[in-house]
Amino acid sequence: MTPDSQTPTQRVNHPAQPLPPQGFFSSVGTVLSALIVLLAAAWSLDIPRALGVAFYPAQLLGLILALSVAVALLSRDHRGQPHAVAPPWYDWLAAGVVLLGGGFLAWRYASLVDLVLLRPPQAVAIGLVLLPLTLEALRRTVGWTLLWVVAIFVAYALFGDAVPGRLAGRAQDWDKVASYLSLDVNGVLGIPLQIASTVVIAFVLFGTMLNRVGGAQFFTDAALTVMGGLRGPPPRRRLVAGWSPR
């Protein structure tokens, strides 16, 4: 039965999804998202080295992190739903603060990274800005579960001496934890963010381009041509065509 032939009692009323706000917000979100892709693409193509520009990878990761958090704060409300109207003023303020923090991190990283364990005030300030807003962006986009996992490990670093038994650790000062997590490569600027900023973005960009030019459909048709005449379950054809980005 087609949807047009269904009676009113058989149709399922789906709630209308809010349209993304247009105008200035749409332009800002597009620019921020484009900057993320351009920075990741430039790094993947090794353009800075070709231009003779030297910097710490963490400086670029700090910029990408700040841009990503700003996009998340401006695209999702406090309930984790897409904004039906323009973001409120406090989301604009949070996005501006995190962009300033990420820019300051990229600018001063070379002089702060070797002093991170000494808790310089600038490093602590960066941590107090980036970490809470990053966790808020995480909550809006993923939900509470992963946020609680991160919060538990941060609490363990702060109050490890209160844990009984063999899991007991040495408690760390809050300013040391804030500066270490925000500046050290074992914190938020570590391998997961580096992989997301290079491999993941490049793969998604390549897959989108391949799908736009019809490459994904070509691989699907090729798999059906090769395996379509053989007897067997459909997953066999999916196995042949499954590596093609959709």
Side-chain angles (χ1 to χ4, degrees):
M1 180 180 296
T2 62
D4 293 335
S5 62
Q6 292 179 354
T7 63
T9 58
Q10 292 175 318
R11 294 174 183 171
V12 178
N13 293 324
H14 297 282
Q17 296 295 328
L19 295 176
Q22 304 296 322
F24 179 72
F25 164 73
S26 178
S27 301
V28 172
T30 301
V31 170
L32 296 179
S33 301
L35 285 176
I36 296 173
V37 176
L38 291 176
L39 290 175
W43 192 15
S44 300
L45 296 174
D46 210 10
I47 293 179
R49 180 178 298 180
L51 297 177
V53 179
F55 54 86
Y56 286 93
Q59 292 177 274
L60 181 63
L61 295 178
L63 289 177
I64 294 178
L65 175 65
L67 291 169
S68 303
V69 172
V71 170
L73 294 175
L74 294 177
S75 60
R76 300 273 177 170
D77 59 17
H78 65 281
R79 298 170 299 176
Q81 301 298 323
H83 281 294
V85 295
W89 65 269
Y90 50 82
D91 282 344
W92 285 107
L93 177 62
V97 169
V98 76
L99 289 175
L100 290 176
F104 185 78
L105 183 151
W107 177 45
R108 298 287 296 168
Y109 182 83
S111 60
L112 293 175
V113 63
D114 294 330
L115 305 175
V116 61
L117 296 180
L118 299 179
R119 306 164 226 180
Q122 294 177 337
V124 176
I126 292 174
L128 294 179
V129 169
L130 286 184
L131 294 179
L133 293 178
T134 301
L135 293 178
E136 173 60 14
L138 180 68
R139 182 193 68 82
R140 294 189 183 190
T141 54
V142 180
W144 285 96
T145 303
L146 188 56
L147 176 64
W148 281 114
V149 172
V150 175
I152 289 173
F153 281 102
V154 173
Y156 179 76
L158 295 173
F159 310 106
D161 56 339
V163 178
R166 294 181 178 272
L167 294 179
R170 184 172 60 182
Q172 304 294 331
D173 296 333
W174 64 269
D175 51 353
K176 183 178 180 180
V177 173
S179 59
Y180 182 83
L181 290 180
S182 59
L183 291 177
D184 195 83
V185 294
N186 295 311
V188 295
L189 303 180
I191 294 178
L193 181 59
Q194 182 176 352
I195 294 176
S197 302
T198 54
V199 178
V200 175
I201 292 181
F203 180 81
V204 172
L205 181 61
F206 172 75
T208 303
M209 293 175 59
L210 186 65
N211 193 35
R212 290 289 184 180
V213 300
Q217 186 62 39
F218 167 77
F219 287 111
T220 301
D221 294 339
L224 291 174
T225 301
V226 175
M227 307 296 293
L230 300 179
R231 300 182 62 183
R236 179 183 298 176
R237 294 190 294 270
R238 297 195 191 104
L239 181 63
V240 176
W243 66 275
S244 170
R246 299 297 295 178

